[in-house]
Amino acid sequence: MFDRLKERGFEIEFRSHAEAILGVDFPEVAEQLEGVLLSSTIPIEEIIGSGGGETKGTQRLRNALATHDWRKHNFIVQRIIDGVEREAQSHEIDHVKTFDAGTIALEIEWNNKDPFFDRDLENFKRLHADGGISLGIIVTRGASLQASITSLVRRFADERNINSHDDMERIGLNPTRRQIRDVVRRVTRNRNPIPFRDAWTDQFVSDKFGTATTHWSKLQERVQRGVGNPCPLVLIGLPSSIVTFGEDQTEVQKLLGDDED
């Protein structure tokens, strides 16, 4: 299961018999997800242009899931005693699909603060306990992608010959005053000044893709200490190979300027 994804460097982990549940009750889910993920790419320009936020690449991933009828859904769980509602809880999930055998919930955590994992896993746990879902799926940045972010951003700076904030404006980047101040301080400090590209790369990555954001190791920390247990889980880590360089610039600019999403 997910063999083609594994060959491409995706990290796949199953928890609480999720692999058996998928294989027996939801065989079409693995095929759908594999097809969507294998066709997904994120041009480096999107990562830089988005400032680390959700890129059009991840938005396209959401749209691809939507074409397979994975829709946002707000689960409402009510407690009623003698016809009187005593309490109600809602759990909004970004991607939900119901099959003959049951319902599956899926969340994509590209680059949120890492406590969002706690929210997702606890939602899955409660919904599973109440019979709302059969299993939950989380897609996030994989270990190889997290480890490669600095080199990917530095490669972009090298290829675009970025040596100053004027060069950044030349290619359409508009850092905040704080970001400019932080980079300038590192470039001009008396002790151990560093080249602009190094300073900008370090500042961008630490500011936007730091260790306290959603990525594979932060997800592992949660599931290893039992957050979300015993809900069956499928965990998927996006590999560094999903980030592309040298895509047709006309298409890239079209994506960056497309407001349809």
Side-chain angles (χ1 to χ4, degrees), residues 218-236:
K218 288 296 184 179
L219 180 56
Q220 288 293 300
E221 287 178 8
R222 268 75 178 179
V223 297
Q224 287 173 8
R225 67 171 185 259
V227 181
N229 190 54
C231 178
L233 298 170
V234 180
L235 313 178
I236 301 176

Side-chain angles (χ1 to χ4, degrees), residues 193-256:
I194 63 175
F196 182 90
R197 290 184 198 176
D198 292 340
W200 175 74
T201 297
D202 290 346
Q203 193 280 328
F204 181 88
V205 173
S206 63
D207 202 34
K208 303 301 182 180
F209 294 94
T211 56
T213 58
T214 49
H215 57 94
W216 188 256
S217 67
K218 288 296 184 179
L219 180 56
Q220 288 293 300
E221 287 178 8
R222 268 75 178 179
V223 297
Q224 287 173 8
R225 67 171 185 259
V227 181
N229 190 54
C231 178
L233 298 170
V234 180
L235 313 178
I236 301 176
L238 301 173
S240 58
S241 60
I242 202 171
V243 180
T244 57
F245 287 78
E247 290 200 27
D248 182 88
Q249 286 300 302
T250 301
E251 291 300 315
V252 170
Q253 292 305 316
K254 181 179 177 182
L255 292 173
L256 292 174

Side-chain angles (χ1 to χ4, degrees), residues 35-53:
V36 167
L37 290 169
L38 285 173
S39 63
S40 297
T41 61
I42 301 177
I44 186 63
E45 291 88 349
E46 291 192 49
I47 291 178
I48 304 299
S50 69

Side-chain angles (χ1 to χ4, degrees), residues 38-77:
L38 285 173
S39 63
S40 297
T41 61
I42 301 177
I44 186 63
E45 291 88 349
E46 291 192 49
I47 291 178
I48 304 299
S50 69
E54 181 164 280
T55 70
K56 291 293 178 65
T58 48
Q59 291 177 28
R60 290 197 304 276
L61 175 54
R62 296 188 188 281
N63 292 339
L65 288 168
T67 64
H68 292 285
D69 294 322
W70 292 82
R71 305 290 182 180
K72 180 175 289 189
H73 183 72
N74 191 29
F75 292 89
I76 299 177
V77 180

Side-chain angles (χ1 to χ4, degrees), residues 14-29:
F14 301 97
R15 291 271 172 166
S16 300
H17 307 291
E19 184 172 15
I21 293 170
L22 275 184
V24 174
D25 293 333
F26 305 95
E28 64 270 54
V29 170

